[in-house]
Amino acid sequence: MTDTTPRSAAVTPRPPTDAKRAKARSARSFRSARGDAPRSWKHSPLRRITPWLFLAVPLALLITFTYVPVVSMIGYSFTDWDGVSPDRRAVGLDNYVQIFTRPELFRVFFVSGYYLAASVVQIAVALYFATVLSFDLRLRSFFKGILFFPYLINGVAIGFVFLYFFQEGGTLDSVLSWFGASTGHAWLGDPTSANVSLAGVSVWRFTGLNFVLFLGAIQSIPAELYEAAQLDGAGRWKQFRHIIAPSIRPVLSLSVILAISGSLSVFEIPYVMTGGASGTSTFVIQTVKLAFQFNKTGLASAGAVVLLLIILAITWIQRRLVPDDKVDLV
């Protein structure tokens, strides 16, 4: 007998007719005309303001604590304000004239020369050790830590340590006495020896920073370049001259800018060790004393503005002489 019981079978959906397609298109067109069509994130207004939402707080802090004080400082520099009284009398450019005409105020520029010379030594020493320790040497990690360790110490602590180091009968005199050298010299009493000593302390402290910058730039150079240079018979000096030096030029340029600006704005070490006495007063120490010791906030503000303009001018000149071009060695 033939089984006539209906069996369940998969029902194949029928394709939409032309009438259904036309109806769907008309519905989409109607929603689009009403503005109900869903918008993608790419065209959403929220996408355009999202970056500004992330930047709102940093920009507010930057404007409040950087640009507003700078503008206020520039305004104070044209007055004789003492920093306390609400009265401010405009004096024009008199404060700026005093800075460049009064010898006791202009002398601090010559003190910065000691630190500028020390920064040259600092960069040279850091570049030498960064180059040497970038190659495969024994205990190079140990020596890296020794070179970078002084930069981790607080500047005030360094000032107190070297204050006892340079005092009469201190550590330096004790070491020199072992070799029969005279120990009756006041290292921080004479302007020349005091500035040289303080500049030497800055070299000891900040060499580690430049060392890390140079080392990171050197280690980013592809190893294939060194291998090719060795196959061609290039020694260490030629590798440095033709591979390392061109590669680290942007970092070297940055170090020069930091060295010049740092030599003009030295504060911690001379302030702790000498307080600006014995001819060791720097631009920042002088500005602080004018503002808080002699109550000449207007004159101190003018000095700060001059320092800012000098640093900006030196940075601009340096960028013009040594442009920050991209280096492609591969």
Side-chain angles (χ1 to χ4, degrees):
M1 295 179 61
T2 304
D3 186 8
T4 58
T5 305
R7 298 179 179 178
S8 61
V11 180
T12 304
R14 296 181 180 180
T17 60
D18 295 338
K20 292 182 179 180
R21 293 194 187 98
K23 185 177 181 180
R25 282 196 299 266
S26 63
R28 287 195 299 268
S29 301
F30 178 72
R31 289 195 302 267
S32 178
R34 292 193 311 165
D36 298 338
R39 295 182 178 181
S40 62
W41 172 250
K42 182 178 180 181
H43 300 89
S44 176
L46 184 61
R47 178 179 179 271
R48 300 174 184 176
I49 66 173
T50 298
W52 295 103
L53 294 177
F54 283 103
L55 292 174
V57 174
L59 285 176
L61 295 175
L62 180 65
I63 293 173
T64 303
F65 296 103
T66 301
Y67 294 111
V68 172
V70 169
V71 174
S72 301
M73 180 184 65
I74 295 174
Y76 298 152
S77 66
F78 296 102
T79 66
D80 62 349
W81 188 40
D82 60 0
V84 179
S85 65
D87 299 329
R88 303 172 191 172
R89 185 172 60 89
V91 295
L93 298 176
D94 182 65
N95 291 328
Y96 294 95
V97 174
Q98 291 188 52
I99 290 175
F100 291 101
T101 55
R102 292 173 58 179
E104 66 274 14
L105 298 180
F106 191 76
R107 192 179 298 119
V108 294
F109 288 103
F110 299 100
V111 176
S112 298
Y114 289 95
Y115 297 95
L116 185 61
S119 65
V120 175
V121 178
Q122 168 185 313
I123 291 176
V125 172
L127 183 58
Y128 172 78
F129 282 107
T131 303
V132 172
L133 295 178
S134 63
F135 297 103
D136 189 12
L137 298 175
R138 294 183 59 185
L139 301 177
R140 64 174 182 173
S141 297
F142 173 74
F143 290 110
K144 289 178 184 178
I146 290 179
L147 289 170
F148 186 66
F149 177 73
Y151 183 71
L152 300 177
I153 306 177
N154 183 268
V156 177
I158 291 177
F160 279 111
V161 168
F162 279 93
L163 181 61
Y164 292 103
F165 181 82
F166 285 113
Q167 72 178 2
E168 187 175 356
T171 305
L172 182 59
D173 286 345
S174 300
V175 173
L176 292 177
S177 63
W178 296 345
F179 300 95
S182 176
T183 59
H185 181 72
W187 298 100
L188 300 179
D190 178 69
T192 302
S193 62
N195 284 308
V196 171
S197 301
L198 296 177
V201 176
S202 67
V203 171
W204 181 82
R205 184 191 179 192
F206 292 104
T207 297
L209 174 62
N210 291 277
F211 167 75
V212 171
L213 294 176
F214 292 147
L215 185 65
I218 293 174
Q219 290 182 342
S220 65
I221 301 175
E224 293 80 4
L225 296 177
Y226 295 110
E227 296 175 359
Q230 291 177 356
L231 292 176
D232 292 337
R236 298 299 189 189
W237 167 248
K238 289 187 176 181
Q239 292 180 24
F240 173 81
R241 180 181 177 184
H242 298 286
I243 298 178
I244 296 178
S247 301
I248 67 172
R249 187 173 61 179
V251 178
L252 182 60
S253 176
L254 174 63
S255 297
V256 171
I257 294 175
L258 294 177
I260 295 175
S261 61
S263 63
L264 293 172
S265 57
V266 178
F267 176 72
E268 288 178 327
I269 292 176
Y271 187 79
V272 172
M273 296 182 65
T274 63
S278 302
T280 60
S281 180
T282 62
F283 209 105
V284 179
I285 293 177
Q286 175 180 269
T287 302
V288 171
K289 286 186 175 182
L290 287 174
F292 301 104
Q293 185 174 344
F294 301 106
N295 294 329
K296 294 183 178 181
T297 304
L299 185 59
S301 299
V305 172
V306 170
L307 177 61
L308 176 63
L309 293 177
I310 291 174
I311 293 176
L312 292 177
I314 292 175
T315 304
W316 182 81
I317 294 173
Q318 193 272 340
R319 287 295 184 182
R320 289 292 183 179
L321 297 178
V322 186
D324 191 9
D325 298 330
K326 293 183 178 180
V327 180
D328 188 8
L329 297 176
V330 182

PDB file of all heavy atoms in Angstrom, residues 168-195:
ATOM      1  N   GLU A 168      86.076  73.430  54.275  1.00  0.00           N
ATOM      2  CA  GLU A 168      87.469  73.371  54.705  1.00  0.00           C
ATOM      3  C   GLU A 168      87.671  72.204  55.671  1.00  0.00           C
ATOM      4  O   GLU A 168      86.963  72.075  56.667  1.00  0.00           O
ATOM      5  CB  GLU A 168      87.850  74.693  55.378  1.00  0.00           C
ATOM      6  CG  GLU A 168      89.320  74.801  55.703  1.00  0.00           C
ATOM      7  CD  GLU A 168      89.676  76.169  56.259  1.00  0.00           C
ATOM      8  OE1 GLU A 168      88.771  77.039  56.305  1.00  0.00           O
ATOM      9  OE2 GLU A 168      90.839  76.360  56.643  1.00  0.00           O
ATOM     10  N   GLY A 169      88.614  71.352  55.350  1.00  0.00           N
ATOM     11  CA  GLY A 169      88.859  70.155  56.133  1.00  0.00           C
ATOM     12  C   GLY A 169      87.880  69.043  55.854  1.00  0.00           C
ATOM     13  O   GLY A 169      87.815  68.068  56.610  1.00  0.00           O
ATOM     14  N   GLY A 170      87.121  69.165  54.761  1.00  0.00           N
ATOM     15  CA  GLY A 170      86.121  68.170  54.419  1.00  0.00           C
ATOM     16  C   GLY A 170      86.702  67.008  53.630  1.00  0.00           C
ATOM     17  O   GLY A 170      87.915  66.724  53.670  1.00  0.00           O
ATOM     18  N   THR A 171      85.813  66.345  52.894  1.00  0.00           N
ATOM     19  CA  THR A 171      86.218  65.128  52.180  1.00  0.00           C
ATOM     20  C   THR A 171      87.278  65.421  51.129  1.00  0.00           C
ATOM     21  O   THR A 171      88.269  64.680  51.000  1.00  0.00           O
ATOM     22  CB  THR A 171      84.983  64.494  51.507  1.00  0.00           C
ATOM     23  OG1 THR A 171      83.970  64.280  52.491  1.00  0.00           O
ATOM     24  CG2 THR A 171      85.359  63.169  50.866  1.00  0.00           C
ATOM     25  N   LEU A 172      87.104  66.480  50.347  1.00  0.00           N
ATOM     26  CA  LEU A 172      88.064  66.782  49.291  1.00  0.00           C
ATOM     27  C   LEU A 172      89.434  67.106  49.865  1.00  0.00           C
ATOM     28  O   LEU A 172      90.466  66.619  49.360  1.00  0.00           O
ATOM     29  CB  LEU A 172      87.550  67.947  48.443  1.00  0.00           C
ATOM     30  CG  LEU A 172      88.441  68.354  47.269  1.00  0.00           C
ATOM     31  CD1 LEU A 172      88.657  67.190  46.316  1.00  0.00           C
ATOM     32  CD2 LEU A 172      87.828  69.543  46.531  1.00  0.00           C
ATOM     33  N   ASP A 173      89.477  67.889  50.918  1.00  0.00           N
ATOM     34  CA  ASP A 173      90.765  68.211  51.539  1.00  0.00           C
ATOM     35  C   ASP A 173      91.412  66.969  52.140  1.00  0.00           C
ATOM     36  O   ASP A 173      92.650  66.813  52.106  1.00  0.00           O
ATOM     37  CB  ASP A 173      90.569  69.267  52.626  1.00  0.00           C
ATOM     38  CG  ASP A 173      90.301  70.647  52.054  1.00  0.00           C
ATOM     39  OD1 ASP A 173      90.559  70.838  50.842  1.00  0.00           O
ATOM     40  OD2 ASP A 173      89.813  71.517  52.790  1.00  0.00           O
ATOM     41  N   SER A 174      90.614  66.073  52.692  1.00  0.00           N
ATOM     42  CA  SER A 174      91.168  64.843  53.262  1.00  0.00           C
ATOM     43  C   SER A 174      91.790  63.971  52.181  1.00  0.00           C
ATOM     44  O   SER A 174      92.874  63.397  52.378  1.00  0.00           O
ATOM     45  CB  SER A 174      90.080  64.069  54.003  1.00  0.00           C
ATOM     46  OG  SER A 174      89.539  64.843  55.054  1.00  0.00           O
ATOM     47  N   VAL A 175      91.122  63.862  51.039  1.00  0.00           N
ATOM     48  CA  VAL A 175      91.662  63.060  49.945  1.00  0.00           C
ATOM     49  C   VAL A 175      92.938  63.683  49.396  1.00  0.00           C
ATOM     50  O   VAL A 175      93.925  62.986  49.112  1.00  0.00           O
ATOM     51  CB  VAL A 175      90.603  62.894  48.840  1.00  0.00           C
ATOM     52  CG1 VAL A 175      91.200  62.213  47.605  1.00  0.00           C
ATOM     53  CG2 VAL A 175      89.416  62.103  49.348  1.00  0.00           C
ATOM     54  N   LEU A 176      92.942  65.003  49.243  1.00  0.00           N
ATOM     55  CA  LEU A 176      94.136  65.675  48.722  1.00  0.00           C
ATOM     56  C   LEU A 176      95.305  65.559  49.686  1.00  0.00           C
ATOM     57  O   LEU A 176      96.475  65.505  49.262  1.00  0.00           O
ATOM     58  CB  LEU A 176      93.824  67.146  48.438  1.00  0.00           C
ATOM     59  CG  LEU A 176      92.854  67.423  47.289  1.00  0.00           C
ATOM     60  CD1 LEU A 176      92.577  68.921  47.161  1.00  0.00           C
ATOM     61  CD2 LEU A 176      93.386  66.884  45.961  1.00  0.00           C
ATOM     62  N   SER A 177      95.031  65.521  50.977  1.00  0.00           N
ATOM     63  CA  SER A 177      96.118  65.403  51.958  1.00  0.00           C
ATOM     64  C   SER A 177      96.814  64.054  51.864  1.00  0.00           C
ATOM     65  O   SER A 177      97.990  63.936  52.233  1.00  0.00           O
ATOM     66  CB  SER A 177      95.575  65.607  53.368  1.00  0.00           C
ATOM     67  OG  SER A 177      94.637  64.584  53.701  1.00  0.00           O
ATOM     68  N   TRP A 178      96.118  63.031  51.383  1.00  0.00           N
ATOM     69  CA  TRP A 178      96.764  61.722  51.210  1.00  0.00           C
ATOM     70  C   TRP A 178      97.879  61.780  50.180  1.00  0.00           C
ATOM     71  O   TRP A 178      98.826  61.013  50.233  1.00  0.00           O
ATOM     72  CB  TRP A 178      95.734  60.679  50.770  1.00  0.00           C
ATOM     73  CG  TRP A 178      94.664  60.428  51.786  1.00  0.00           C
ATOM     74  CD1 TRP A 178      94.677  60.796  53.100  1.00  0.00           C
ATOM     75  CD2 TRP A 178      93.423  59.757  51.572  1.00  0.00           C
ATOM     76  NE1 TRP A 178      93.524  60.403  53.725  1.00  0.00           N
ATOM     77  CE2 TRP A 178      92.720  59.753  52.807  1.00  0.00           C
ATOM     78  CE3 TRP A 178      92.823  59.156  50.478  1.00  0.00           C
ATOM     79  CZ2 TRP A 178      91.478  59.178  52.955  1.00  0.00           C
ATOM     80  CZ3 TRP A 178      91.584  58.578  50.623  1.00  0.00           C
ATOM     81  CH2 TRP A 178      90.905  58.595  51.837  1.00  0.00           C
ATOM     82  N   PHE A 179      97.734  62.701  49.224  1.00  0.00           N
ATOM     83  CA  PHE A 179      98.744  62.832  48.167  1.00  0.00           C
ATOM     84  C   PHE A 179      99.696  63.992  48.439  1.00  0.00           C
ATOM     85  O   PHE A 179     100.466  64.381  47.551  1.00  0.00           O
ATOM     86  CB  PHE A 179      98.057  63.041  46.815  1.00  0.00           C
ATOM     87  CG  PHE A 179      97.143  61.915  46.427  1.00  0.00           C
ATOM     88  CD1 PHE A 179      95.789  61.970  46.701  1.00  0.00           C
ATOM     89  CD2 PHE A 179      97.649  60.782  45.793  1.00  0.00           C
ATOM     90  CE1 PHE A 179      94.946  60.929  46.339  1.00  0.00           C
ATOM     91  CE2 PHE A 179      96.814  59.739  45.441  1.00  0.00           C
ATOM     92  CZ  PHE A 179      95.462  59.807  45.714  1.00  0.00           C
ATOM     93  N   GLY A 180      99.634  64.555  49.618  1.00  0.00           N
ATOM     94  CA  GLY A 180     100.559  65.610  49.985  1.00  0.00           C
ATOM     95  C   GLY A 180     100.195  66.968  49.437  1.00  0.00           C
ATOM     96  O   GLY A 180     101.030  67.889  49.486  1.00  0.00           O
ATOM     97  N   ALA A 181      98.995  67.150  48.921  1.00  0.00           N
ATOM     98  CA  ALA A 181      98.592  68.447  48.376  1.00  0.00           C
ATOM     99  C   ALA A 181      98.141  69.368  49.490  1.00  0.00           C
ATOM    100  O   ALA A 181      97.746  68.935  50.573  1.00  0.00           O
ATOM    101  CB  ALA A 181      97.463  68.259  47.367  1.00  0.00           C
ATOM    102  N   SER A 182      98.232  70.670  49.240  1.00  0.00           N
ATOM    103  CA  SER A 182      97.831  71.662  50.223  1.00  0.00           C
ATOM    104  C   SER A 182      96.317  71.606  50.431  1.00  0.00           C
ATOM    105  O   SER A 182      95.551  71.463  49.478  1.00  0.00           O
ATOM    106  CB  SER A 182      98.235  73.062  49.745  1.00  0.00           C
ATOM    107  OG  SER A 182      97.767  74.049  50.643  1.00  0.00           O
ATOM    108  N   THR A 183      95.888  71.719  51.678  1.00  0.00           N
ATOM    109  CA  THR A 183      94.462  71.623  52.007  1.00  0.00           C
ATOM    110  C   THR A 183      93.927  72.883  52.661  1.00  0.00           C
ATOM    111  O   THR A 183      92.931  72.847  53.367  1.00  0.00           O
ATOM    112  CB  THR A 183      94.221  70.432  52.944  1.00  0.00           C
ATOM    113  OG1 THR A 183      95.005  70.634  54.137  1.00  0.00           O
ATOM    114  CG2 THR A 183      94.613  69.118  52.285  1.00  0.00           C
ATOM    115  N   GLY A 184      94.588  74.006  52.459  1.00  0.00           N
ATOM    116  CA  GLY A 184      94.155  75.235  53.106  1.00  0.00           C
ATOM    117  C   GLY A 184      93.319  76.131  52.217  1.00  0.00           C
ATOM    118  O   GLY A 184      93.189  77.321  52.511  1.00  0.00           O
ATOM    119  N   HIS A 185      92.758  75.588  51.152  1.00  0.00           N
ATOM    120  CA  HIS A 185      92.004  76.409  50.204  1.00  0.00           C
ATOM    121  C   HIS A 185      90.514  76.345  50.523  1.00  0.00           C
ATOM    122  O   HIS A 185      89.957  75.274  50.759  1.00  0.00           O
ATOM    123  CB  HIS A 185      92.245  75.912  48.771  1.00  0.00           C
ATOM    124  CG  HIS A 185      91.524  76.724  47.737  1.00  0.00           C
ATOM    125  ND1 HIS A 185      91.915  78.002  47.410  1.00  0.00           N
ATOM    126  CD2 HIS A 185      90.440  76.450  46.963  1.00  0.00           C
ATOM    127  CE1 HIS A 185      91.112  78.472  46.469  1.00  0.00           C
ATOM    128  NE2 HIS A 185      90.208  77.549  46.186  1.00  0.00           N
ATOM    129  N   ALA A 186      89.856  77.516  50.516  1.00  0.00           N
ATOM    130  CA  ALA A 186      88.408  77.580  50.730  1.00  0.00           C
ATOM    131  C   ALA A 186      87.731  77.425  49.366  1.00  0.00           C
ATOM    132  O   ALA A 186      87.668  78.380  48.582  1.00  0.00           O
ATOM    133  CB  ALA A 186      88.025  78.897  51.388  1.00  0.00           C
ATOM    134  N   TRP A 187      87.233  76.245  49.085  1.00  0.00           N
ATOM    135  CA  TRP A 187      86.721  75.954  47.755  1.00  0.00           C
ATOM    136  C   TRP A 187      85.478  76.762  47.420  1.00  0.00           C
ATOM    137  O   TRP A 187      85.255  77.104  46.258  1.00  0.00           O
ATOM    138  CB  TRP A 187      86.393  74.458  47.644  1.00  0.00           C
ATOM    139  CG  TRP A 187      87.594  73.584  47.814  1.00  0.00           C
ATOM    140  CD1 TRP A 187      87.970  72.908  48.933  1.00  0.00           C
ATOM    141  CD2 TRP A 187      88.594  73.324  46.840  1.00  0.00           C
ATOM    142  NE1 TRP A 187      89.140  72.226  48.729  1.00  0.00           N
ATOM    143  CE2 TRP A 187      89.548  72.449  47.438  1.00  0.00           C
ATOM    144  CE3 TRP A 187      88.794  73.718  45.514  1.00  0.00           C
ATOM    145  CZ2 TRP A 187      90.670  71.995  46.764  1.00  0.00           C
ATOM    146  CZ3 TRP A 187      89.907  73.259  44.831  1.00  0.00           C
ATOM    147  CH2 TRP A 187      90.836  72.403  45.450  1.00  0.00           C
ATOM    148  N   LEU A 188      84.681  77.086  48.399  1.00  0.00           N
ATOM    149  CA  LEU A 188      83.451  77.840  48.165  1.00  0.00           C
ATOM    150  C   LEU A 188      83.574  79.290  48.625  1.00  0.00           C
ATOM    151  O   LEU A 188      82.563  79.999  48.703  1.00  0.00           O
ATOM    152  CB  LEU A 188      82.278  77.171  48.893  1.00  0.00           C
ATOM    153  CG  LEU A 188      81.975  75.728  48.482  1.00  0.00           C
ATOM    154  CD1 LEU A 188      80.807  75.172  49.289  1.00  0.00           C
ATOM    155  CD2 LEU A 188      81.688  75.637  46.995  1.00  0.00           C
ATOM    156  N   GLY A 189      84.776  79.758  48.890  1.00  0.00           N
ATOM    157  CA  GLY A 189      84.967  81.127  49.343  1.00  0.00           C
ATOM    158  C   GLY A 189      85.369  82.079  48.240  1.00  0.00           C
ATOM    159  O   GLY A 189      85.034  83.258  48.269  1.00  0.00           O
ATOM    160  N   ASP A 190      86.074  81.588  47.253  1.00  0.00           N
ATOM    161  CA  ASP A 190      86.512  82.411  46.129  1.00  0.00           C
ATOM    162  C   ASP A 190      85.517  82.281  44.986  1.00  0.00           C
ATOM    163  O   ASP A 190      85.053  81.170  44.703  1.00  0.00           O
ATOM    164  CB  ASP A 190      87.902  81.950  45.678  1.00  0.00           C
ATOM    165  CG  ASP A 190      88.399  82.733  44.490  1.00  0.00           C
ATOM    166  OD1 ASP A 190      88.702  83.933  44.657  1.00  0.00           O
ATOM    167  OD2 ASP A 190      88.462  82.154  43.386  1.00  0.00           O
ATOM    168  N   PRO A 191      85.152  83.379  44.303  1.00  0.00           N
ATOM    169  CA  PRO A 191      84.149  83.284  43.223  1.00  0.00           C
ATOM    170  C   PRO A 191      84.518  82.299  42.129  1.00  0.00           C
ATOM    171  O   PRO A 191      83.672  81.519  41.669  1.00  0.00           O
ATOM    172  CB  PRO A 191      84.073  84.720  42.696  1.00  0.00           C
ATOM    173  CG  PRO A 191      84.480  85.569  43.850  1.00  0.00           C
ATOM    174  CD  PRO A 191      85.513  84.778  44.589  1.00  0.00           C
ATOM    175  N   THR A 192      85.772  82.291  41.703  1.00  0.00           N
ATOM    176  CA  THR A 192      86.158  81.398  40.608  1.00  0.00           C
ATOM    177  C   THR A 192      86.095  79.942  41.022  1.00  0.00           C
ATOM    178  O   THR A 192      85.464  79.104  40.356  1.00  0.00           O
ATOM    179  CB  THR A 192      87.576  81.748  40.125  1.00  0.00           C
ATOM    180  OG1 THR A 192      87.615  83.114  39.694  1.00  0.00           O
ATOM    181  CG2 THR A 192      87.974  80.844  38.970  1.00  0.00           C
ATOM    182  N   SER A 193      86.762  79.616  42.144  1.00  0.00           N
ATOM    183  CA  SER A 193      86.766  78.216  42.581  1.00  0.00           C
ATOM    184  C   SER A 193      85.369  77.768  43.007  1.00  0.00           C
ATOM    185  O   SER A 193      84.992  76.608  42.800  1.00  0.00           O
ATOM    186  CB  SER A 193      87.744  78.031  43.740  1.00  0.00           C
ATOM    187  OG  SER A 193      87.338  78.810  44.860  1.00  0.00           O
ATOM    188  N   ALA A 194      84.570  78.673  43.556  1.00  0.00           N
ATOM    189  CA  ALA A 194      83.218  78.304  43.969  1.00  0.00           C
ATOM    190  C   ALA A 194      82.353  77.974  42.756  1.00  0.00           C
ATOM    191  O   ALA A 194      81.637  76.965  42.741  1.00  0.00           O
ATOM    192  CB  ALA A 194      82.591  79.437  44.777  1.00  0.00           C
ATOM    193  N   ASN A 195      82.417  78.800  41.730  1.00  0.00           N
ATOM    194  CA  ASN A 195      81.612  78.528  40.532  1.00  0.00           C
ATOM    195  C   ASN A 195      82.088  77.287  39.797  1.00  0.00           C
ATOM    196  O   ASN A 195      81.272  76.518  39.265  1.00  0.00           O
ATOM    197  CB  ASN A 195      81.657  79.737  39.596  1.00  0.00           C
ATOM    198  CG  ASN A 195      80.784  80.879  40.075  1.00  0.00           C
ATOM    199  OD1 ASN A 195      79.606  80.702  40.362  1.00  0.00           O
ATOM    200  ND2 ASN A 195      81.364  82.070  40.171  1.00  0.00           N
TER     201      ASN A 195
END
